Amino acid sequence: MATRDVSSQSDISKMQRDPDGSFKRQASAFRNTIERGGKFEPERDRYHLYVSYACPWATRTLIVRKLKGLEDIIPVTAVSPRMGAHGWPFASADDYPGTDPDPLHQSQHVKDLYLKADPDYAGRFTVPILWDKKNQTIVNNESSEIIRFFNSAFNHLLPEDKAKLDFYPQELRVAIDSLNEWVYHGINNGVYRAGFATTQSAYEKAVHEVFDSLDKVEKILEGKEYVVGDRLTEADIRLWVTIIRFDPVYVGHFKCNFRTIRDGYPAIHSWLRKLYWNVPAFKDSTNFDHIKTHYYWSHTSINPTRIVPVGPIPDIQPL
């Protein structure tokens, strides 16, 4: 348990903004690599994944974990969507439906894991976390890197059909990296820059960038099944986790209300629904109750009543 005041790190209501009212996301702090011959060897049941079903960054890791068939190799624990003054709680602190206790350390909150790994840790207490049971530490808390470990590092432990799946193929890496860069700025983090802005000018700058980027994606997806090449890649996964939350949360809560996905972007809407309804890894990683509860309950600076909207109805439309 924490023995010093870390409320500035755990309490989102104390999150600092830039002087111009804009939101700047902190870089992830734990950036170790899982690789054969390294300090963190890819081994069965050595690592544990901590996630929130509400968090788009964490959901990336859940999707790739399932696509690659890593469920029996890397166990997962889900925290409560109700992030309060102490940050993300486990079931022992908030027994919300679909929330797990911490099976390794009986932690009350995610912050306890960070302070166990590094008592002097000074960053935010975020998910996902990939924990190493052997060295009793956090290997990595950067989702973009975790999904690449899952993509290839454990292939020697997987059956051939799963091992050959590659969501970051060599021949598409330049295109994937290029798309990821502007999608992250304009969409993945763009919705947060709009939602957490505290001045009109910072909000307007961010929200215009969100919809400029969505317009660009719409053109890319016209007549196509995937955003890069003709196959499912990490570029789809990284974009999808934001788009699935757009109509239920970002339109209203983050004021990204120029257009909805379902009524304003037919190509994106088709792509979104096909992945959700046709690929179990996407549907199984999506919990709309956790998603809506987290944002509307946790961000009291935006929604002080903590009323969670019932709509949109349905959360996602059928094919």
Side-chain angles (χ1 to χ4, degrees):
M1 298 296 293
T3 57
R4 59 185 175 89
D5 182 9
V6 294
S7 60
S8 63
Q9 299 163 248
S10 63
D11 189 343
I12 197 167
S13 69
K14 297 182 179 181
M15 181 172 56
Q16 297 297 309
R17 308 299 199 279
D18 277 15
D20 66 354
S22 61
F23 165 69
K24 297 291 192 300
R25 184 175 297 278
Q26 286 186 358
S28 300
F30 292 88
R31 307 294 287 270
N32 295 299
T33 300
I34 294 180
E35 60 185 352
R36 301 183 78 173
K39 178 181 178 181
F40 299 98
E41 285 273 0
E43 299 170 3
R44 182 180 297 274
D45 200 29
R46 172 172 172 176
Y47 302 100
H48 194 92
L49 181 65
Y50 292 94
V51 301
S52 163
Y53 283 101
C55 172
W57 320 102
T59 305
R60 294 174 172 184
T61 66
L62 285 173
I63 292 171
V64 179
R65 173 179 172 268
K66 187 171 182 66
L67 286 169
K68 289 290 293 188
L70 291 167
E71 296 99 317
D72 294 333
I73 293 173
I74 303 170
V76 67
T77 293
V79 298
S80 168
R82 295 191 292 204
M83 185 174 66
H86 297 286
W88 296 106
F90 290 101
S92 53
D94 182 20
D95 194 16
Y96 191 88
T99 299
D100 303 317
D102 175 13
L104 301 184
H105 312 289
Q106 293 72 54
S107 306
Q108 297 292 298
H109 296 87
V110 162
K111 68 178 181 179
D112 302 330
L113 296 172
Y114 277 86
L115 297 175
K116 181 176 178 62
D118 178 6
D120 298 319
Y121 177 73
R124 294 198 61 80
F125 305 116
T126 59
V127 288
I129 294 171
L130 192 59
W131 182 272
D132 176 20
K133 292 187 282 187
K134 181 177 180 179
N135 291 309
Q136 290 294 296
T137 193
I138 297 172
V139 179
N140 198 292
N141 68 337
E142 170 51 56
S143 66
S144 65
E145 295 175 1
I146 294 173
I147 65 173
R148 291 190 180 172
F149 304 156
F150 289 0
N151 182 59
S152 59
F154 297 87
N155 280 348
H156 63 292
L157 301 175
L158 296 173
E160 183 180 355
D161 63 324
K162 294 295 186 181
K164 71 180 181 182
L165 294 175
D166 186 0
F167 302 105
Y168 189 54
Q170 186 67 46
E171 68 274 16
L172 294 177
R173 288 183 180 181
V174 172
I176 291 171
D177 290 345
S178 175
L179 186 134
N180 282 347
E181 183 175 357
W182 63 262
V183 164
Y184 169 80
H185 178 78
I187 299 176
N188 297 141
N189 197 47
V191 294
Y192 286 90
R193 290 169 48 239
F196 286 147
T198 55
T199 64
Q200 187 71 28
S201 59
Y203 158 71
E204 290 191 14
K205 181 177 187 295
V207 77
H208 278 284
E209 290 175 355
V210 168
F211 283 93
D212 287 346
S213 299
L214 287 173
D215 292 345
K216 190 173 179 180
V217 171
E218 178 71 9
K219 291 180 180 178
I220 289 171
L221 280 172
E222 287 176 354
K224 292 182 60 182
E225 294 292 312
Y226 306 105
V227 290
V228 175
D230 59 356
R231 58 190 289 188
L232 179 65
T233 69
E234 71 165 44
D236 295 284
I237 296 162
R238 287 173 52 135
L239 173 63
W240 191 90
V241 295
T242 300
I243 301 302
I244 194 66
R245 288 161 174 77
F246 202 87
D247 288 3
V249 172
Y250 302 142
V251 169
H253 187 59
F254 279 173
K255 306 178 184 68
C256 294
N257 60 358
F258 289 13
R259 291 172 291 282
T260 62
I261 298 299
R262 65 189 64 194
D263 294 321
Y265 292 100
I268 297 176
H269 191 215
S270 175
W271 164 86
L272 168 78
R273 289 176 296 143
K274 285 177 180 176
L275 288 174
Y276 181 89
W277 293 112
N278 294 337
V279 185
F282 289 84
K283 185 175 186 291
D284 293 350
S285 70
T286 304
N287 184 319
F288 287 110
D289 173 55
H290 277 222
I291 289 168
K292 290 196 291 186
T293 296
H294 166 64
Y295 285 93
Y296 285 100
W297 192 95
S298 303
H299 301 158
T300 53
S301 63
I302 301 174
N303 186 39
T305 65
R306 286 178 162 168
I307 293 172
V308 180
V310 175
I313 299 173
D315 293 312
I316 183 168
Q317 293 180 344
L319 285 173

